Amino acid sequence: MDVYSSSIKSIKLPFKDSCYDTMVVQQVNLPDSLSNFKKYGQLIGKVNENSHYIAILYAIPADVQLPILRVFNKDGGEIGSLKLLLGDCCGENEACSGVSTLYITKDLQIILKDSTRTFERDKKNADKKYNIQLQKRKKEYMIDSTGKILPLT
């Protein structure tokens, strides 16, 4: 795990991203003994590391990059993980639009916000929307000194 950890660049905190942004992916050459870490997605960077854990940000490529925080103990065992986008409507589609944001502070507080607007389209005039509903959500978490991701809200 030390070889993997030392090969990853740290993310500058505070870190902010939205579902519309594209995070830069790190390319790391791993020995075969560490190839299992490739299954977690595209490597974005190291969020934090101490004597108990290493927290790493990955992204799953899709219509947008889905950021996932994974925390490992020093032996490489997974302590926890957290999907870092709340919403399902980033960008406009046939039934909704919205934006999800994530913010990781210097003291490892994770703030996730999402606003979603759902609507129905007029069948005769596709640009016309009605029955519009707006939903806003916010969730907060903290990575503790042992690497556990704890909900704050």
Side-chain angles (χ1 to χ4, degrees), residues 13 47-48 53 55 69 71 79-82 84 103-112 139-153:
L13 297 178
V47 175
N48 193 51
Y53 73 87
L69 177 68
V71 183
I79 296 171
S81 67
L82 180 65
L84 298 178
Y103 187 70
I104 303 173
T105 67
K106 289 183 179 186
D107 62 352
L108 303 178
Q109 184 176 354
I110 301 162
I111 303 163
L112 307 177
K139 291 188 177 184
E140 295 183 41
Y141 300 86
M142 182 76 165
I143 303 174
D144 75 4
S145 61
T146 66
K148 291 181 184 171
I149 303 170
L150 305 173
L152 297 176
T153 56

Side-chain angles (χ1 to χ4, degrees), residues 126-138:
D127 292 338
K128 197 171 192 179
K129 300 171 188 170
Y130 63 96
N131 197 17
I132 297 173
Q133 298 177 351
L134 181 64
Q135 179 185 18
K136 294 181 182 182
R137 295 183 287 173
K138 179 180 177 183

